[in-house]
Amino acid sequence: MQERAARTRRALVQAAASEFDRYGYAGTSLVQVCKTAGITTGALTFHFRSKSELADAVQAEGCTAIRRVVEHFARGHSPALERLVELTLSLARLLEDETAVRSAARLTRERPANDLGWASCWLPAVGELAYRAQRTGQLRAGTQPAAVAHLAAYLLVGAEMRVRTSLQAAREPDAVKQLEQMWNLALRGIMP
Amino acid sequence: MQERAARTRRALVQAAASEFDRYGYAGTSLVQVCKTAGITTGALTFHFRSKSELADAVQAEGCTAIRRVVEHFARGHSPALERLVELTLSLARLLEDETAVRSAARLTRERPANDLGWASCWLPAVGELAYRAQRTGQLRAGTQPAAVAHLAAYLLVGAEMRVRTSLQAAREPDAVKQLEQMWNLALRGIMP
């Protein structure tokens, strides 16, 4: 019985992630979420009291996927700047592949008054790696670690939009490849 | 009489720009647009037959402001790479200052099936400047002009999001300043 409830909850979160990702917070209809999930609106209200609670669950799901990737690169042994770049490429890959992650990124923009912002799941790790890169002499003199972290954040927003444009046009996403090119350009200016 | 109609139309477009910018295409209510503009819904439907037509008008207004800036930098005499950077900084300033421009950027994402995408108002000029930079020896050997144009596009999306975050938090926008920092990092890698 409990297992069935958990299954229903997962189906609802999955369907909601897809709807929020496509239509945004305001544009998502709970009736449509139920239809997509094949679940009655009664079952929905048993699990989530409001659209807001459902969006929280989607953002939490996205953050869980992100944290797995972040932990992998935070713990690695390769040079910090390399790990920083690899982390952003992996996040771009998550944006391409994981609806919940893409949905979390969109919901962050459209629901400012919540603590589950998707950047808060990875930006601290990127900042930490940028400082470590500086301490280990990987940054050119005068390059601020905070500026490198900002650059990573700007590029990831760009990658998210690139993924959206590709999906809307039913093209294969190429955000990871493009992001790699951006880093190739920028790294030559960042490194000593 | 004609002048009064033009004034009403302008007030509607201005109010709509503000609502679309804040609440997105799906989240904007035409009733609220009329309230904000101080105009009856009857007058609205006289000028615009649908939400879609109203959004077209907002996007066209945003594009007009952008084109003025683009023409200025396309015609300039300073080195092309410098003009490319200055153009993106001016676009970031428009994102900070002009609701119609910010609104056009948001509507571009939320109404994919329209030809008024805000990037189409400036991306060709950025691409042209990147190619000119290459022809005049301003790019490091192996740096593709298309990659520089992509980088500009990614950074501008980042700038837009930065402006939104600042506005939502009622902070003074600092996107232009941040964008300048990003270019300082990246340009050292792009130039010979």
Side-chain angles (χ1 to χ4, degrees):
Chain A
M1 192 59 196
Q2 220 168 10
E3 203 188 307
R4 201 180 136 195
R7 215 162 44 227
T8 304
R9 196 180 188 283
R10 270 199 306 278
L12 278 167
V13 172
Q14 209 178 334
S18 167
E19 296 292 309
F20 285 134
D21 179 41
R22 281 200 211 179
Y23 306 110
Y25 186 72
T28 285
S29 126
L30 293 184
V31 173
Q32 188 56 48
V33 170
C34 291
K35 257 192 208 161
T36 307
I39 282 159
T40 64
T41 51
L44 170 70
T45 49
F46 172 78
H47 287 281
F48 301 100
R49 274 175 306 179
S50 62
K51 193 196 259 194
S52 174
E53 270 194 9
L54 188 55
D56 283 349
V58 169
Q59 286 188 260
E61 168 115 346
C63 222
T64 302
I66 291 166
R67 287 229 171 85
R68 269 197 297 271
V69 168
V70 165
E71 272 162 30
H72 173 75
F73 289 102
R75 279 208 220 107
H77 292 290
S78 49
L81 190 56
E82 205 171 285
R83 278 189 281 151
L84 185 155
V85 170
E86 288 294 330
L87 170 53
T88 62
L89 293 175
S90 293
L91 291 171
R93 204 163 292 121
L94 280 182
L95 285 168
E96 285 186 355
D97 297 340
E98 300 286 337
T99 312
V101 171
R102 223 165 38 237
S103 196
R106 179 166 188 170
L107 288 169
T108 296
R109 280 195 301 281
E110 299 182 358
R111 307 176 66 217
N114 73 82
D115 305 326
L116 298 158
W118 94 294
S120 70
C121 311
W122 54 265
L123 198 50
V126 166
E128 171 59 31
L129 286 169
Y131 276 98
R132 192 180 293 246
Q134 189 191 39
R135 281 201 304 275
T136 53
Q138 286 197 281
L139 301 191
R140 188 190 284 238
T143 298
Q144 294 302 317
V148 176
H150 282 149
L151 179 62
Y154 273 52
L155 292 181
L156 268 169
V157 174
E160 185 206 336
M161 295 312 157
R162 179 71 186 184
V163 173
R164 295 198 180 283
T165 312
S166 303
L167 291 176
Q168 275 162 0
R171 277 197 314 267
E172 191 70 27
D174 57 358
V176 176
K177 215 180 101 199
Q178 273 205 345
L179 188 57
E180 227 166 342
Q181 286 184 336
M182 309 289 103
W183 277 123
N184 282 342
L185 284 185
L187 278 178
R188 289 188 308 217
I190 290 171
M191 292 170 78
Chain B
M1 192 59 194
Q2 222 167 7
E3 202 188 306
R4 198 178 138 195
R7 216 164 40 226
T8 303
R9 196 182 188 282
R10 270 200 306 277
L12 277 167
V13 171
Q14 210 179 333
S18 167
E19 296 291 310
F20 284 135
D21 179 40
R22 280 201 212 178
Y23 307 110
Y25 186 72
T28 286
S29 126
L30 293 184
V31 173
Q32 187 56 47
V33 169
C34 291
K35 256 191 208 162
T36 306
I39 282 159
T40 64
T41 50
L44 171 70
T45 49
F46 172 77
H47 286 280
F48 301 101
R49 275 174 305 178
S50 62
K51 193 196 259 192
S52 173
E53 269 193 10
L54 187 55
D56 284 349
V58 169
Q59 287 189 258
E61 169 115 346
C63 223
T64 302
I66 291 166
R67 288 230 172 83
R68 269 195 297 271
V69 168
V70 164
E71 272 162 30
H72 174 75
F73 289 102
R75 278 208 220 108
H77 291 291
S78 49
L81 191 56
E82 205 172 285
R83 278 189 281 150
L84 185 155
V85 170
E86 289 293 332
L87 170 54
T88 63
L89 293 175
S90 294
L91 291 172
R93 204 163 291 120
L94 280 182
L95 285 168
E96 285 185 356
D97 297 340
E98 300 285 337
T99 312
V101 171
R102 220 163 41 235
S103 196
R106 179 165 187 170
L107 288 169
T108 297
R109 278 195 301 281
E110 299 182 358
R111 307 176 65 217
N114 74 83
D115 306 327
L116 299 158
W118 93 293
S120 70
C121 311
W122 53 265
L123 198 49
V126 166
E128 172 58 32
L129 286 168
Y131 276 99
R132 193 180 292 246
Q134 189 191 40
R135 282 200 304 276
T136 53
Q138 286 196 281
L139 300 191
R140 189 190 283 239
T143 299
Q144 294 302 317
V148 176
H150 282 150
L151 179 61
Y154 273 53
L155 292 181
L156 269 169
V157 174
E160 184 206 338
M161 294 311 155
R162 180 71 187 184
V163 173
R164 293 196 180 285
T165 311
S166 303
L167 291 176
Q168 275 162 0
R171 276 198 313 267
E172 191 70 25
D174 58 356
V176 176
K177 216 180 100 199
Q178 274 205 344
L179 188 56
E180 228 167 342
Q181 286 185 336
M182 310 288 104
W183 277 121
N184 282 342
L185 284 185
L187 278 177
R188 292 188 306 218
I190 291 170
M191 294 170 79

